Structure formats: structure tokens, C-alpha cells
Amino acid sequence: MRAPGQRRAGAGPMAAAAVLAALLTGCAGGPDGSGAGAPASTAAELPAPAQRSPAAAPAKEGTQAASAAPAKADPDEAESDKAHSDPASPGVVVNKRRPLSPQDFVPPKLVVPRVERTVAAERVRLRPDAAAAVEKMFAAAAADGVGLTLVSGYRSFEEQAATYNHWVGQYGDKAQADEVSARAGHSEHQTGLAFDIGQTDGTCTLVLCFRDTEAARWTAKHAARYGFILRYPQGHHEVTGFSAESWHFRYVGPEIAGAMQAAGTATLEEHFGLPPAPGY
């Protein structure tokens, strides 16, 4: 998902310069003092901000919903929906019509993958299961002569709100911003399961032409083996709600990723039989 400094397809040279400037700013401004492309030296574990879970609203007295559960509930269907709604589950589905619950969810533990990165450590944190899989995938790519770099990872509710507001200001309205950035509480980055990649030489970082790089081709081919899917594939905007992003990967675990690859299913919505989410 695009962060400030990224551009949409067709943007001009000034936007490309803004991308580079934003990346360099992120590197220089990191508290660990890391430079662009510098690998993390340790599996540094950084504390996640305290989670603020709002209390559930009480049911109104005298209503049928407050006094009785729905009749003939299908336990298998309820369990399946729970897996796709639970923000702690690798199978959670977050989109424009499926916000996180609670919307200010914070993963209980976040770590920094020991891979090459272009930004400061706190900007690439992931859940431990996703981070371990990233390390394995990056190592396999390197063994094949393909250089991958981590560009972004976990983003808090507040950070996502700032990111989205940046794009609203950039385009002048929410409609265009909604094509490239999720509103706070609707972003996969907030789960700690999603991340953006780049190629180590910086070619087409976070822009449409990245899909033609060796890094994008290798990762699209091998990601499922490590439990990842390309979350926003080309031609599925009306299902996912977002423009294609060949750099945005999501950890779902080897079982789900393998099943999607075997079935040729392109999106989580289609795989789980959930409705498309073209808008809020």
C-alpha cells in the first residue's frame, strides 16, 4: 500500500523525485541511524504501542438481538467468519468493507526481520511469523541472484490516518486517495502481516514499473512457498478496491497461499467467498 512519496502510474518525473526524497528522508530520520539499504544487524525486537480497544457498545434493552442469538446458526460458517475477521489470524481479510475490529488494533508483538531494508527499523516491523517467513524468502531470492529489500511493514492506526490524509491533500479529494491508500482501520499494514518490497538497486520502487523488475517476477513466482500472496494483483481492482501493487505482499501462511496458487485464485475475497470491496 502506498505511503507518502509514492506515485500512481503515469505520474511525471517530479513525482519520481518525491519518491526518492521520501525514501531518503525515512532512512535519515530513523532512530537507529540506519542508512538506505543497510541491513538490520540483529533481530531487534521493538515494543509495539499500547493497544487501545474500545469497550463493546451495550445492546439496547428490549430488542430481540439483545435477548436471543440468531436461530439455526451454522457453527462452521461462524468459525470461518471469525477466522477472516480476527485481526490476529493469518486468514484475516481487511478491505474497504471489512474494517479491523477493533479499528485501532495493535499486534501484541512486532519484530524487525533480519533482511536488507531501505528505511528505519521501526518502519519494517512485522509479526514474528511473517518476519521469519520474510527472512526465508529473502534468503532464497539471494541464493537465486535476486536482491530484495524491505520498504515498509507495520503501520499503526495513527500512521495510516496520516498516510491517507497525505494522499487526500495530494489529490484534493477522497475518491482519488481511496484508489491508492486505505483509510485508518482498513489497512493490511496495521495487522503486521503486510509489507512492501523493492529491488536492491532501487529500480521502480513503489511505482507501477516495478512489476517488470526481476525482484517482482521472482517474488510473484515463489512467494506462495513461504506463505505469501500478492495482495493487489493487476486486473482485480473491482474486487480488492485498490489499484495493482506488484510490491505489496501479505502473509497468510503456506496452507492458504498454496491453496490459492493451486486453484489459481487471485484474491482473498474470491478464495474465501467474500463479497468484493470496490468502495467503502
Side-chain angles (χ1 to χ4, degrees), residues 40-68:
S41 59
T42 63
E45 185 175 316
L46 301 179
Q51 183 169 343
R52 300 178 290 102
S53 302
K60 295 182 180 179
E61 295 183 3
T63 64
Q64 183 177 358
S67 60

Side-chain angles (χ1 to χ4, degrees), residues 65-81:
S67 60
K72 299 181 180 179
D74 185 336
D76 292 335
E77 184 176 335
E79 187 65 25
S80 176
D81 184 68

Side-chain angles (χ1 to χ4, degrees), residues 194-267:
F195 59 94
D196 298 327
I197 65 167
Q199 189 162 276
T200 49
D201 64 3
T203 301
C204 293
T205 301
L206 302 177
V207 290
L208 185 61
C209 62
F210 181 74
R211 66 185 179 184
D212 300 319
T213 64
E214 188 177 23
R217 289 192 294 267
W218 187 96
T219 312
K221 181 178 179 180
H222 298 283
R225 180 183 307 172
Y226 304 95
F228 300 112
I229 62 168
L230 180 63
R231 184 63 176 101
Y232 304 119
Q234 190 78 27
H236 292 271
H237 172 268
E238 292 302 320
V239 175
T240 66
F242 294 103
S243 302
E245 295 186 353
S246 55
W247 55 83
H248 181 106
F249 285 84
R250 159 70 193 279
Y251 183 75
V252 294
E255 183 177 351
I256 294 174
M260 291 180 65
Q261 184 179 55
T265 310
T267 70

Side-chain angles (χ1 to χ4, degrees), residues 86-108:
D86 180 0
S89 169
V92 66
V93 180
V94 186
N95 58 37
K96 291 179 177 178
R97 296 184 180 176
R98 295 179 63 89
L100 287 165
S101 180
Q103 287 200 24
D104 60 352
F105 170 77
V106 179

